[in-house]
Structure formats: structure tokens, C-alpha cells
């Protein structure tokens, strides 16, 4: 295969799946990945699409479409979230599943990569309908998930309650002696039914630890840094609260309902309560409204996209005032936008590292369930920081050795680990 340059002009704001594939092939080329390993890793192992009927409150049935893509399991069981959002498609979930394989490999946890989702908007459904959708989806997945095989977790639009419904549905369909083990078929559960302390804030906590590492490279700290965030769900709101506790000033926040600005900093706890009550940041009384276009121009040190993929594009990348872009979401910066940012001297800290805190603490939850242990949150955070810093060290060492971008270095560490295991195990038969 000829070398592919993802920064080629023809790649302007490519679709997410194509952009992820191009990145994979370009780093495979960079590190000289063998053709057979490239062949295996360039497509998911299994692609499952399920259509299932759900009883609505008005007595009608609606058909839903769900996905589970199992990308790779050479390093351990398939692992990754389930997304509930109207944008969920086969290609989106395939791209996200591949990112999970590379993320787990980069941070060195013994998991492979998977992703799932259902194409719908949770906000349009009652709690009862939501429960039936989640349970019917889990039932449709059947034995394709399992506590040693493929373990879902929360992602955009899903939460700890949804994980508990998944776990309960799976456990009740299992042979009774296996029901305790069945608990760890999902992670990100509520604490009461076996979730880990520190899991809910884990992605935001991981962002904070990785950012701390990045700033320490140049002797900086987060105190007094100004921050904007796009997305105020689990990842955005926890990131904001943790960074504010470390002394950062949260100047602007945007989501699907609008954007808000407070020059002296807004209260991230009050904003979280507002979003909980009103469904979005629009109208928040502790800040001024802002247009979507102006949001990207806000004068801040750090801009943190924490929502969906392809949010920073060739259209808004030239406007971004921040000098550091932190990818707390998966795939928020397109390849063209990344080139524009790098040319402007903006540092882009890649998703594979920055948002790995969620799956790392999912791994801790799975280990605790397996050993019937409960770790204090201080222990969870200590271990999370150790893994995040070790991965950040490896990424930097690889970037310096290969003379590449941080994102390419993240992929290179991951692909190198996968290659080593394929070389030692061989390809069956
Ligand atoms: N959905 C999260 C992610 O994209 C967490 C996945 C997990 O915990 O398995 O990394």
C-alpha cells in the first residue's frame, strides 16, 4: 500500500471513520508495521447490528437499531462504551472501537477495543422507555458480551443506571452459578451494585492528570490557567470541577443548547446543577450568553472539546485562541484542523491519552469485582495517575525518537505493543 498522507489537501475534514483509518495507515507506515498485522488491525474482528422492538408508553412499538463492534482482543477482552445518540452509525462505532484498541494499548491495560451504541436520543424517552430500550438491546446482544469476553461501559448519552440495567439483564439471562461473575460484564455501574469509587469522574480526572504532566514538561501548573470547554456532560463537567479545584479559571462553556461566558470564571458546580435541571448550559444565570462562533474565539489558555468527534474543523480551527487543545472527547479535531492548529503553534494533546482515564478506572472496577474488593478513591486516583503519567512518558519518548506529532506518537506506542504481541503469538493457524 502506498504511503498515505493524512494532511493531504484532499483530506479536508474527512468523515470520522476515514480519518481514523488514514491515521492508522500513516502511523503503520511510519513504524514499518508488517502487512499482515496492518491487514488484521485495519478492520474490526466482529461487527454486530441488532434491530429490536421496544414497547413505548403509548402502547405502540418502535424498532431501534443498535451496534456492538469488537475491534480487537489480542491484548485482552473487548472493552469500550455504549453511546446513546441520534448520530450513532456503523461507521462512527467502527471508528470509536478502533480508538479503544489503541487507547488500551497505549495506557497498557490488558484489554482490547470495542464500542457499541443505539441510534436514538435518550432525552426523547421516559425513564420506563429508556429502561426497556437498554434491556432489549442487552438481550439482543446476548452472549456476544460477557465478563471475560466483552464488557460495555458508559459513553455519550449513557450512564451508571443504564449500566446497571445492562448488568441486571445479562445476569438474569445467565446460568445462576455464574451470576456473581456476571456483575463485571459492564463497568461504570453505580457504587451500590459494584461500581468503583472514582469511576464517574475518571475521564475528567485522567484529563487533569495528563494535563498536569504536559504542563510540567515546561515548568507550568494549572493554577490560574484560563479554560474553555465544549460539552458539559460527564467528561466536561468533571474536568471543569477538577481543574477549577486546582486553581484554573473556567471562562466559557458550550453545548448543544448554547454557550456561556464569564471573564472572571464561572462556578463549575453551579453550572453542573443548572445543566442537570435544565438539560443544557443555555440561560445559566452565572454567566453571559455567547454565540457558537464566538465560543471558539474566547481568549483562554486551554480549550477542551469534551463532546463529540469532528467539532474542531478547518472552519473554526483558524479562530481558536487557546494555545493548548485537549482532546477530552474521542476524535474532536479533524486531520485538517490539526494541521492548521499545529502550523499556528497550538499544542494538540491527543484523545488516545487524554481521555483514557475512563477506561483505566473501568479496568480497576473489573479487577475489584473479580477480587471482591473495594478500593478507596485515594487508591483509585493514585493508580490512575501512575498509569496516565507512565503512558504520557512513553508518548513523549516516542515522539522525540520518531520526530512526529503527539498523536502519531500515541498511535506508534499502541501499534508497537500490538505488533510485539502478534509477533510472539503468531497468527493462527
Ligand atoms: N466510553 C469511554 C471511552 O471512550 C470509556 C470506555 C470504558 O470504560 O470501557 O473511553
Amino acid at each position: 500500500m502506498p504511503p498515505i498522507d493524512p494532511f493531504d489537501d484532499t483530506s479536508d475534514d474527512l468523515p470520522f471513520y476515514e480519518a481514523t483509518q488514514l491515521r492508522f495507515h500513516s502511523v503503520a507506515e511510519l513504524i514499518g508495521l508488517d502487512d499482515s498485522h496492518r491487514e488484521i488491525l485495519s478492520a474490526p474482528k466482529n461487527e454486530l447490528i441488532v434491530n429490536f422492538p421496544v414497547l413505548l408508553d403509548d402502547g405502540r412499538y418502535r424498532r431501534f437499531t443498535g451496534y456492538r463492534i469488537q475491534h480487537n482482543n489480542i491484548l485482552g477482552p473487548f472493552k469500550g462504551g455504549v453511546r446513546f445518540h441520534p448520530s450513532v452509525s456503523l461507521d462512527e462505532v467502527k471508528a470509536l472501537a478502533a480508538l479503544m484498541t489503541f487507547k488500551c494499548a497505549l495506557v497498557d491495560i490488558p484489554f482490547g477495543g470495542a464500542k457499541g451504541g443505539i441510534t436514538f436520543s435518550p432525552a426523547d424517552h421516559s425513564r420506563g422507555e429508556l429502561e426497556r430500550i437498554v434491556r432489549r438491546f442487552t438481550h439482543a446482544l446476548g452472549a456476544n458480551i460477557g465478563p471475560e469476553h466483552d464488557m460495555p461501559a458508559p459513553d455519550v448519552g449513557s450512564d451508571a443506571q443504564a449500566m446497571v440495567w445492562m448488568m441486571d439483564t445479562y445476569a438474569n439471562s445467565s446460568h445462576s452459578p455464574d451470576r456473581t461473575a456476571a456483575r463485571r460484564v459492564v463497568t461504570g455501574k453505580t457504587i451500590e451494585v459494584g461500581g468503583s469509587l472514582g469511576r464517574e469522574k475518571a475521564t475528567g480526572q485522567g484529563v487533569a492528570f495528563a494535563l498536569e504532566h504536559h504542563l510540567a514538561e515546561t515548568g507550568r501548573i494549572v493554577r490560574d490557567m484560563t479554560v474553555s470547554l465544549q460539552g458539559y456532560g460527564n467528561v466536561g463537567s468533571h474536568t471543569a470541577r477538577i481543574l477549577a479545584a486546582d486553581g484554573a479559571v473556567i471562562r466559557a462553556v458550550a453545548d448543544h443548547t448554547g454557550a456561556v461566558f464569564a471573564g472572571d470564571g464561572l462556578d463549575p458546580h453551579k453550572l453542573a446543577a443548572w445543566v442537570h435541571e435544565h438539560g443544557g448550559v443555555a440561560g445559566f444565570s452565572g454567566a453571559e450568553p455567547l454565540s457558537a462562533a464566538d465560543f471558539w474565539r474566547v481568549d483562554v489558555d486551554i480549550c477542551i472539546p469534551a463532546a463529540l468527534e469532528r467539532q474542531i474543523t478547518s472552519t473554526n480551527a483558524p479562530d481558536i485562541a487557546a494555545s493548548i487543545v485537549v482532546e477530552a472527547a474521542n476524535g474532536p479535531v479533524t486531520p485538517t484542523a490539526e494541521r492548521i492548529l499545529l502550523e499556528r503553534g497550538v499544542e494538540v494533546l491527543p484523545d488516545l491519552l487524554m481521555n483514557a482515564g475512563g477506561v483505566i478506572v473501568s479496568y480497576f472496577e473489573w479487577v475489584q469485582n473479580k477480587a471482591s474488593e473495594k478500593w478507596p478513591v485515594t487508591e483509585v486516583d493514585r493508580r490512575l495517575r501512575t498509569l496516565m503519567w507512565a503512558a504520557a512518558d512513553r508518548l513523549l519518548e516516542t515522539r522525540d525518537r520518531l520526530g512526529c506529532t503527539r498523536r502519531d506518537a500515541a498511535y506508534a506506542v499502541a501499534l508497537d505493543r500490538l505488533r510485539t504481541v502478534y509477533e510472539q503469538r503468531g497468527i493462527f493457524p
Side-chain angles (χ1 to χ4, degrees):
M1 176 169 305
I4 296 167
D5 177 6
F7 301 137
D8 190 286
D9 281 346
T10 58
S11 70
D12 195 66
D13 292 340
L14 275 175
F16 185 36
Y17 181 64
E18 279 75 4
T20 309
Q21 287 291 91
L22 273 179
R23 179 68 54 185
F24 162 73
H25 283 295
S26 105
V27 180
E29 192 68 34
L30 178 70
I31 68 163
L33 191 69
D34 187 278
D35 277 351
S36 52
H37 300 146
R38 203 190 279 203
E39 186 82 9
I40 294 168
L41 290 164
S42 64
K45 276 190 100 161
N46 307 309
E47 302 179 26
L48 189 65
I49 305 178
V50 291
N51 292 305
F52 53 94
V54 176
L55 178 65
L56 302 180
D57 293 342
D58 65 7
R60 288 178 304 135
Y61 281 87
R62 187 186 143 189
R63 178 172 45 78
F64 288 81
T65 300
Y67 305 89
R68 186 70 182 169
I69 305 299
Q70 298 170 330
H71 179 262
N72 190 274
N73 64 347
I74 192 82
L75 299 181
F78 298 111
K79 186 82 190 84
V82 284
R83 178 170 291 197
F84 301 161
H85 195 274
S87 75
V88 167
S89 67
L90 180 61
D91 269 2
E92 182 188 51
V93 181
K94 279 169 72 172
L96 292 166
L99 291 183
M100 287 308 303
T101 298
F102 305 139
K103 197 187 300 186
C104 293
L106 168 65
V107 298
D108 198 15
I109 56 175
F111 283 159
K115 201 79 168 200
I118 308 174
T119 315
F120 82 114
S121 170
D124 295 346
H125 293 273
S126 67
R127 184 181 161 91
E129 288 181 349
L130 205 53
E131 176 172 354
R132 292 195 291 279
I133 294 166
V134 173
R135 286 190 184 275
R136 235 1 254 258
F137 174 57
T138 310
H139 182 75
L141 294 178
N144 291 292
I145 57 172
E148 303 289 334
H149 173 56
D150 181 359
M151 298 86 72
D155 196 76
V156 176
S158 59
D159 60 8
Q161 177 62 69
M163 295 308 106
V164 173
W165 288 327
M166 286 193 87
M167 185 276 270
D168 185 73
T169 307
Y170 181 87
N172 278 297
S173 319
S174 311
H175 179 54
S176 28
D178 299 335
R179 287 201 181 149
T180 302
R183 265 195 329 173
R184 60 179 193 277
V185 68
V186 289
T187 58
K189 302 178 290 288
T190 60
I191 305 299
E192 296 75 14
V193 303
S196 174
L197 292 171
R199 174 62 185 85
E200 198 184 308
K201 63 162 184 155
T203 309
Q205 187 67 67
V207 169
F209 286 146
L211 184 60
E212 181 195 10
H213 184 283
H214 175 72
L215 295 174
E217 276 172 46
T218 47
R220 294 173 289 176
I221 56 169
V222 86
R223 168 161 296 283
D224 297 331
M225 290 254 168
T226 51
V227 175
S228 66
L229 295 115
Q230 189 216 25
Y232 214 69
N234 172 286
V235 178
S237 68
H238 282 290
T239 301
R241 283 176 271 188
I242 294 164
L243 294 182
D246 289 341
V249 179
I250 311 298
R251 272 211 167 140
V253 178
D255 70 5
H256 62 288
T257 64
V260 292
F261 171 81
D264 295 339
L266 50 80
D267 182 328
H269 298 275
K270 286 188 180 149
L271 182 59
W274 178 273
V275 170
H276 185 70
E277 201 182 325
H278 298 89
V281 301
F284 175 54
S285 47
E288 300 160 30
L290 194 66
S291 75
D294 283 344
F295 167 77
W296 300 108
R297 298 193 187 103
V298 171
D299 181 23
V300 283
D301 300 308
I302 304 170
C303 172
I304 309 183
L308 296 170
E309 59 272 10
R310 302 180 83 235
Q311 300 300 303
I312 299 182
T313 63
S314 50
T315 309
N316 56 14
D319 294 337
I320 297 214
S323 56
I324 303 175
V325 169
V326 172
E327 291 190 326
N330 288 308
V333 179
T334 68
T336 311
E338 182 170 18
R339 184 195 62 204
I340 294 169
L341 292 172
L342 294 176
E343 278 172 6
R344 293 183 49 224
V346 178
E347 294 167 300
V348 180
L349 311 188
D351 50 3
L352 290 187
L353 174 69
M354 299 312 288
N355 70 30
V359 74
I360 289 175
V361 180
S362 276
Y363 167 55
F364 297 160
E365 179 174 329
W366 186 81
V367 168
Q368 289 172 79
N369 288 169
K370 204 164 171 155
S372 293
E373 284 184 9
K374 278 189 170 188
W375 300 350
V377 70
T378 46
E379 177 65 10
V380 171
D381 286 351
R382 187 189 65 77
R383 290 183 187 236
L384 172 61
R385 188 175 184 281
T386 303
L387 291 196
M388 292 296 297
W389 273 57
D393 285 343
R394 278 194 294 279
L395 192 157
L396 279 190
E397 182 274 319
T398 302
R399 183 198 61 166
D400 293 345
R401 183 165 45 82
L402 298 177
C404 61
T405 65
R406 289 171 198 273
R407 188 186 311 284
D408 284 354
Y411 271 77
V413 173
L415 294 184
D416 205 42
R417 189 179 305 280
L418 288 154
R419 163 166 61 191
T420 304
V421 176
Y422 272 115
E423 278 173 359
Q424 289 181 16
R425 286 180 62 160
I427 300 167
F428 178 81

